[in-house]
Amino acid sequence: GAPGSKRRIAPISWRPSWVPPFHLSMTTLSAHRPSMLGGGLLLLLAAGCVAQHHHTPGNDKRDCVSGYDDSCNEEDADSSLLQSKLSASKLAVADRRSAVGVAFDAVAPSGAAANASSSLAGQNSVQALLSSLTGSSEGGAVATRLLIIPAFLIVLALCGLSQTLSKYAAEFVGTFVLVLTVFCCIMTGSGTWNALAIACVLMAMIYATGSVSGANLNPAVSLTLGLSGVLTWDVVIKYWVSQLLGGFVAAGCAAALFPAADLPVLAPAAGFTGVHAVIAELLYTFMLCFVVLNCAVSKRNNDPKDGNEFFALAIGFVIVAGGYAVGGISGAAFNPAVAAALDVHHWGISGWSAGYGMAEFAGAALASLLYSVVRPDESMPQEQFRRYVPILSAKCFSEFLGTFFLVLTVCLNLITESPAVALSAASALMCMVYSLGDVSGAHFNPAVTAACVVRGKCSIGDALAFLFTQLSAGVLAGLLSGLFHAASKTKEITFGIKPGDGYNLIQAGGVEFFATFVLAYTVLAVATTQPLPNQASRQKMYFALTIAFCVTAGGFGIGAISGGELNPAVSFGISMLGMASPGKTDMVSILPMIGISLMEVLGGVFAAIVFFLTHPKERDADAPEEIASMLCEFVGTFVLVFTVGCCVLTGSGTWNATAIASVLMAMIYATGPVSGGNLNPAVSLSLGLSGNMTLGKVLRYWVAQLLGGGLAGFAVNTLLAPKELSLEPGASFSPWHAVLAEVIYTAMLCFVVLNVAASRRNNPPDNGNQYFALAIGFVIVAGGYAAGGISGACFNPAVALGVDIKRFGLGWGFVWGLAELSGAVLAVLLYRLVRPDETLSEVEAAEYTASLPTKCASEFLGTFMLVLTVGLNVVMASPATAWSAAAALMSMIYSLGSVSGAHFNPAVTLAIVAGGRNKCPGKDAVAFSLTQIIAGILAGLLCAGFHTAGPNAEKTFALQPGEKYDALGAGLCEMLFTFVLGYVVLAVATTKQPQQQLSKQPFHFALAIASCVTAGGNAVGAASGGELNPAVAIGVAAQDLSFGFFVSFALWELLGGALAAVAFRATHRGEFVEDLSEKA
């Protein structure tokens, strides 16, 4: 057991004695609960022993490796992952890279680890072997690195020999992509975005492979499905083999892409012991498996005739919750295949992955056990299942679990100084609301419970039980977090509920009241009302996403003022964390906590009162809605502009646009059923000009919107005085640049509204879509990061008035407003161009097929806005290029998918052609590709105009490999992640609709596709730029007139598209078998 010694681990039987040999029914599961719990505890104990065996007390060198220990000497600190990635971040911002910086800080580069006295004997030999495999220690010889392609094709060919093996091929491909993304994020990514990037690629691959294999992509998930009787044990074992093989192949690719000496070593972060790490892994692997069971398996969430589409969204975003929360503790693997691949220096069996894997399996077993507790109806006969109503104990247990993980996630983010506390907390909330909403209503918040009581959706008895449960869960989560706090580098900080620096209790209480009101109002509007009559599915795909986005908006918008808890249970948990702080001898003052908690509860009560006014039909089906619709527009616009004001005065440039987009999306979903959720005079004008709204209604809405915006601006200036809002062009830009930016992105916003919320093809009378607000809100993410430094990114006359309220809107606000209204007019013209069928009769529209020129116009607009968004992010040195580009892509795909297929990428067009089934005729493909390239060039030239006038005019942003990367390495990165993008497009946008999916308007397709851009852009942005698209590549080259690398990049990206078609044919054999039978 001494450091450097060799250890032999006895083989472990795959089937513990307490697991039945083949199929495990729910009845058998119930009978084996005590044995399951015992087995889980034994696994946890074994994991702890292994972890302690690896931990060397007093070993300061290991702590230096993780980049946390401030006592490290300068030489050691310089060798740490933290320092090397921060240096890379500074270089990459100047070199146009979209995402660079520190990765999960618990994973350290092996070059630094070699200096640690705890490194094991044999590690150098493994490094030598990896170096020989890659050709050199600096990244590998050309011929060897190119072996990635045939090796990958051979594995796919073997797996795709028959339809029976296609599900194993799907598991292999999905796990390969996931693990490769993890490696790339660690090597070149940014600590701000890594967890989000990994979550996005996991979500995309689950959507892509779920219809084939169930998309486990994780041995722990397969185990929990086996224990729950969903998978037979022979399938579980075969999945394990496929998943582990995919992980190790991904590790081999990483060894070819990056210097072998820099590959990561899996280990707990500095200061934390192995016990801390395995507990973190167990907790969040439990959460992951529990969400899988509830969202993808449970009968109530998966009606055979009306299945949900949120399952992958919920599963993927567990990684956002846990990644930011414990990435600085354990590295946040939550997956034995990921842990084994990251532990490649120990062959994935003898290093930390052994302890991590056992902890993760223990979490999986615990998830299976507690799933049967919270959902006892799953094992009931069908007739009894239909009559079952959750009992109070099950509902309280549901509330406990959801609140516990929400508060735990918040506290651990604080302890590890996460850069994304609000996003992580929102993700935890979303996952658990999706999982448990049909059990207890998933309040997880006393303020929300109070709102539901006033609304009449929760009895007093249940409310009191929920209140006790929620506060108890918050307290326990805070106490558990204290154990981690004692070992963290923030252990000298005492956390508590108090106003932020420079703010008083009145200001903190005021913003908490507002943000909790927004949260509770949204809960009532989206979770306690019936689905819209035109929605075919009774499953609200968006409800938990909308609720969680209120936490994102509130946390980032008011976090600097009050902490942004929005929840008394969270406040209690943080206070308990403060009381458990090391060396704490006096009680943290509870008066601010009580005061702020009371304001949060009052916010919930006020939300119920306003809800009754804005949604009168919920009380009386015959109630008129004319006044209510205007009140909705007033309330929604007020909330939007108040959030904008808080973000501008106190928020973060990294997250402001995301927070504003989040609250806009939430308010559109909340008010849309009553007023349409315009919340913007430019949007109302575009709807009026297109014939979707009368002139009188447009004018009435303008009054409500401008009044709401103006009052919100006044309220922000009054509450946060002496700070005040102001509006003017960005530094070094002329008013003309600012006006042009407002016209373009307001046009994009109104164009998206018309397409997703008004067009007949996207909104049939009996099959309306549920993605409309998601598409509209994320235009703000696209334009906010792209044009925020140019014009302030208002895109809304009511916002311009509110921000310019000190001049009563007669300063730049008036000019901006005129520009935005001009953008609305332009949007109507473009809408008519791509949708001429909107002017046809119902009969003619039903027979209409878009012509090739119309399709090309669609491809041009989508590609132009995508490339323009990328280009402006680049030249403005945005902190979120990939996120912004993905948002632009998603919004335009939702808008134009029913016109041209919304390729917007020659590599995607090639993948669809090569994917067969006549999804894109050759003539269309050629026309699309030429159109996309032209759009990319024109967008790049327009970006050049902004570049020459902007603050970075002296910098060049050429299309070229990143710092320390050669053309081959950059090309391989582009190929691999263009492959991911093309594969996901084929799997989610060109396949037959699952039978259990009732709606013909899929909620997830554009979300899954755009997630690939978020993942790829952040994973390889520092190596290649992360364009993943020849049109984007030529646009970036055009803005700098540097075309030297364009051909190389484009060819690699096209090769990635072709490989995507090969992989798709191997994993989705059913698509081609059925196609052949139909032709026969």
Side-chain angles (χ1 to χ4, degrees):
S5 65
K6 295 184 179 180
R7 298 180 309 283
R8 300 182 64 85
I9 299 179
I12 300 175
S13 171
W14 66 267
R15 183 173 65 84
S17 60
W18 46 274
V19 175
F22 294 106
H23 182 74
L24 186 63
S25 66
M26 290 303 298
T27 303
T28 309
L29 175 64
S30 299
H32 284 78
R33 283 181 191 173
S35 297
M36 287 173 57
L37 180 59
L41 292 175
L42 285 174
L43 274 173
L44 176 59
L45 179 61
C49 292
V50 172
Q52 287 289 64
H53 183 67
H54 279 291
H55 180 65
T56 306
N59 186 354
D60 295 333
K61 287 290 186 179
R62 177 172 291 280
D63 294 342
C64 293
V65 169
S66 296
Y68 270 108
D69 193 349
D70 293 334
S71 66
C72 300
N73 61 43
E74 184 176 353
E75 180 181 353
D76 289 331
D78 286 342
S79 68
S80 70
L81 179 64
L82 179 66
Q83 295 299 326
S84 63
K85 298 308 180 194
L86 285 176
S87 299
S89 178
K90 295 175 182 177
L91 290 169
V93 168
D95 194 35
R96 181 204 34 94
R97 301 308 161 203
S98 61
V100 289
V102 59
F104 287 155
D105 295 327
V107 184
S110 61
N115 295 325
S117 61
S118 61
S119 63
L120 299 176
Q123 179 171 315
N124 291 335
S125 63
V126 175
Q127 288 184 1
L129 176 59
L130 291 172
S131 297
S132 66
L133 289 174
T134 55
S136 76
S137 61
E138 298 303 319
V142 173
T144 307
R145 294 167 77 185
L146 288 176
L147 287 176
I148 293 175
I149 302 171
F152 188 74
L153 291 176
I154 289 170
V155 174
L156 286 177
L158 292 174
C159 292
L161 288 176
S162 70
Q163 189 174 351
T164 304
L165 293 176
S166 62
K167 61 183 178 182
Y168 306 117
E171 287 295 310
F172 167 81
V173 171
T175 311
F176 167 84
V177 169
L178 171 62
V179 176
L180 180 66
T181 304
V182 171
F183 266 100
C184 290
C185 284
I186 291 171
M187 299 303 298
T188 72
S190 159
T192 302
W193 298 102
N194 279 349
L196 180 61
I198 295 166
C200 283
V201 85
L202 175 59
M203 177 183 69
M205 295 313 294
I206 291 174
Y207 277 130
T209 63
S211 62
V212 179
S213 67
N216 294 191
L217 316 184
N218 184 334
V221 169
S222 297
L223 175 63
T224 202
L225 294 176
L227 292 173
S228 300
V230 178
L231 295 179
T232 58
W233 289 106
D234 62 322
V235 172
V236 170
I237 296 303
K238 292 173 184 176
Y239 275 13
W240 282 1
V241 173
S242 301
Q243 294 154 358
L244 291 171
L245 179 61
F248 283 122
V249 171
C253 287
L257 289 172
F258 306 108
D262 289 344
L263 290 179
V265 168
L266 187 68
F272 294 101
T273 67
V275 173
H276 290 107
V278 298
I279 291 175
E281 289 294 311
L282 182 147
L283 286 169
Y284 282 95
T285 306
F286 161 81
M287 183 182 181
L288 176 64
C289 295
F290 185 77
V291 171
V292 169
L293 291 169
N294 281 277
C295 293
V297 175
S298 69
K299 297 176 186 176
R300 294 191 181 275
N301 277 332
N302 293 276
D303 189 308
K305 298 180 180 179
D306 189 15
N308 75 71
E309 294 182 59
F310 56 69
F311 62 95
L313 177 62
I315 296 166
F317 270 66
V318 173
I319 306 303
V320 177
Y324 290 112
V326 301
I329 297 173
S330 67
F334 315 149
N335 184 333
V338 171
L342 287 175
D343 205 23
V344 66
H345 288 287
H346 301 111
W347 303 102
I349 54 173
S350 61
W352 284 98
S353 60
Y356 278 34
M358 285 188 283
E360 290 152 358
F361 283 133
L366 186 61
S368 181
L369 172 65
L370 296 188
Y371 171 71
S372 65
V373 173
V374 80
R375 291 187 183 273
D377 52 317
E378 289 294 311
S379 58
M380 294 177 181
Q382 189 63 27
E383 189 61 32
Q384 189 178 357
F385 172 80
R386 290 198 196 98
R387 296 195 306 268
Y388 175 78
V389 176
I391 58 177
L392 183 58
S393 60
K395 290 192 284 188
C396 286
F397 190 57
S398 164
E399 289 295 310
F400 178 88
L401 285 176
T403 309
F404 177 85
F405 273 98
L406 170 61
V407 179
L408 180 69
T409 300
V410 171
C411 291
L412 292 178
N413 270 271
L414 294 175
I415 290 169
T416 58
E417 297 185 310
S418 159
V421 180
L423 181 62
S424 179
S427 299
L429 177 63
M430 180 184 72
C431 299
M432 298 306 281
V433 171
Y434 273 135
S435 298
L436 298 170
D438 62 335
V439 177
S440 65
H443 302 179
F444 311 149
N445 184 336
V448 170
T449 298
C452 290
V453 169
V454 177
R455 164 82 166 89
K457 291 294 183 179
C458 182
S459 68
I460 297 294
D462 283 6
L464 292 175
F466 286 3
L467 175 64
F468 175 79
T469 302
Q470 292 158 355
L471 294 179
S472 299
V475 169
L476 289 176
L479 292 175
L480 177 59
S481 300
L483 299 178
F484 292 93
H485 187 206
S488 71
K489 66 175 183 178
T490 60
K491 58 188 174 185
E492 301 301 324
I493 299 175
T494 300
F495 296 101
I497 303 301
K498 58 183 180 180
D501 294 339
Y503 299 97
N504 57 46
L505 191 57
I506 294 176
Q507 292 170 318
V511 294
E512 283 291 325
F513 173 88
F514 164 78
T516 309
F517 158 79
V518 173
L519 172 61
Y521 178 79
T522 301
V523 169
L524 296 177
V526 303
T528 71
T529 56
Q530 293 298 314
L532 293 175
N534 69 332
Q535 290 180 359
S537 174
R538 298 295 91 186
Q539 299 255 22
K540 287 186 177 179
M541 310 305 172
Y542 56 82
F543 78 101
L545 178 65
T546 307
I547 294 167
F549 269 14
C550 296
V551 174
T552 302
F556 288 128
I558 67 169
I561 305 171
S562 65
E565 291 82 15
L566 322 185
N567 184 336
V570 173
S571 299
F572 269 64
I574 294 174
S575 294
M576 291 307 301
L577 171 61
M579 294 177 189
S581 298
K584 185 68 182 173
T585 56
D586 58 322
M587 291 284 287
V588 175
S589 175
I590 62 172
L591 290 179
M593 191 240 335
I594 293 175
I596 287 177
S597 295
L598 287 175
M599 293 301 293
E600 291 163 349
V601 173
L602 288 176
V605 173
F606 186 64
I609 297 171
V610 173
F611 174 79
F612 284 130
L613 297 175
T614 58
H615 293 69
K617 286 188 178 294
E618 290 295 317
R619 289 187 299 171
D620 181 1
D622 297 324
E625 285 191 330
E626 183 173 334
I627 294 177
S629 64
M630 293 184 64
L631 186 57
C632 277
E633 290 297 310
F634 170 83
V635 171
T637 310
F638 181 93
V639 168
L640 171 62
V641 178
F642 192 95
T643 303
V644 170
C646 290
C647 287
V648 169
L649 295 182
T650 71
S652 158
T654 301
W655 296 111
N656 279 350
T658 300
I660 295 166
S662 297
V663 83
L664 174 60
M665 187 196 78
M667 287 295 101
I668 292 173
Y669 275 130
T671 63
V674 179
S675 70
N678 296 4
L679 317 183
N680 185 335
V683 168
S684 297
L685 176 62
S686 68
L687 290 170
L689 293 175
S690 63
N692 290 286
M693 188 182 291
T694 64
L695 177 61
K697 195 171 187 178
V698 170
L699 294 176
R700 289 196 299 272
Y701 276 17
W702 276 13
V703 171
Q705 293 157 354
L706 292 172
L707 183 60
L711 286 177
F714 177 78
V716 169
N717 282 346
T718 301
L719 183 63
L720 301 182
K723 295 181 179 180
E724 63 178 6
L725 298 168
S726 63
L727 184 65
E728 59 186 359
S732 78
F733 288 105
S734 71
W736 291 109
H737 289 100
V739 165
L740 181 58
E742 289 292 314
V743 169
I744 290 173
Y745 280 99
T746 306
M748 181 184 179
L749 177 63
C750 295
F751 181 79
V752 170
V753 169
L754 291 170
N755 279 277
V756 302
S759 67
R760 285 187 292 202
R761 287 190 178 271
N762 282 334
N763 293 279
D766 59 346
N767 192 24
N769 74 74
Q770 297 191 39
Y771 55 69
F772 60 96
L774 178 62
I776 296 166
F778 267 66
V779 173
I780 306 303
V781 175
Y785 291 107
I790 301 171
S791 66
C794 295
F795 316 149
N796 183 335
V799 172
L801 169 64
V803 176
D804 198 35
I805 193 64
K806 69 178 183 180
R807 301 187 184 93
F808 300 99
L810 299 177
W812 288 113
F814 180 74
V815 178
W816 267 223
L818 292 178
E820 290 148 1
L821 294 176
S822 300
V825 175
L826 177 60
V828 174
L829 297 176
L830 296 175
Y831 176 67
R832 294 298 189 202
L833 176 65
V834 298
R835 292 193 183 271
D837 54 313
E838 289 297 314
T839 60
L840 302 177
S841 66
E842 291 290 339
V843 176
E844 292 174 321
E847 299 175 352
Y848 170 82
T849 301
S851 64
L852 182 56
T854 299
K855 292 178 181 179
C856 286
S858 166
E859 288 295 310
F860 179 90
L861 288 174
T863 308
F864 181 87
M865 291 309 305
L866 170 61
V867 179
L868 179 68
T869 300
V870 172
L872 291 179
N873 273 273
V874 166
V875 301
M876 294 301 297
S878 160
T881 303
W883 181 233
S884 179
L889 179 63
M890 181 182 73
S891 297
M892 297 305 285
I893 290 176
Y894 276 135
S895 298
L896 297 171
S898 60
V899 177
S900 65
H903 304 180
F904 311 150
N905 183 336
V908 167
T909 299
L910 175 61
I912 293 174
V913 171
R917 299 159 300 142
N918 198 31
K919 294 295 181 179
C920 182
K923 178 182 176 182
D924 287 10
V926 173
F928 285 4
S929 298
L930 291 175
T931 302
Q932 293 154 0
I933 293 296
I934 293 170
I937 293 172
L938 292 178
L941 293 175
L942 179 58
C943 289
F946 285 97
H947 182 203
T948 55
N952 299 311
E954 301 302 319
K955 298 179 181 178
T956 59
F957 302 96
L959 179 70
Q960 61 186 14
E963 186 78 15
K964 300 181 181 180
Y965 294 93
D966 58 18
L968 177 58
L972 287 170
C973 288
E974 288 293 309
M975 179 203 73
L976 288 167
F977 282 93
T978 307
F979 155 79
V980 174
L981 174 61
Y983 178 80
V984 171
V985 170
L986 289 171
V988 303
T990 73
T991 52
K992 298 177 178 66
Q993 181 172 300
Q995 293 181 352
Q996 71 272 22
Q997 184 179 310
L998 187 60
S999 174
K1000 305 301 180 185
Q1001 300 280 347
F1003 173 77
H1004 65 275
F1005 75 103
L1007 176 63
I1009 295 167
S1011 294
C1012 299
V1013 173
T1014 300
N1018 285 298
V1020 299
S1024 65
E1027 289 83 12
L1028 320 184
N1029 184 336
V1032 172
I1034 201 168
V1036 173
Q1039 66 85 24
D1040 194 54
L1041 298 179
S1042 55
F1043 294 94
F1045 283 95
F1046 166 69
V1047 173
S1048 172
F1049 274 44
L1051 289 175
W1052 280 113
E1053 290 155 356
L1054 291 171
L1055 178 58
L1059 287 175
V1062 174
F1064 177 75
R1065 287 175 177 270
T1067 60
H1068 290 70
R1069 297 276 295 173
E1071 287 287 315
F1072 300 92
V1073 171
E1074 292 178 17
D1075 187 49
L1076 290 174
S1077 63
E1078 289 172 2
K1079 288 181 180 180

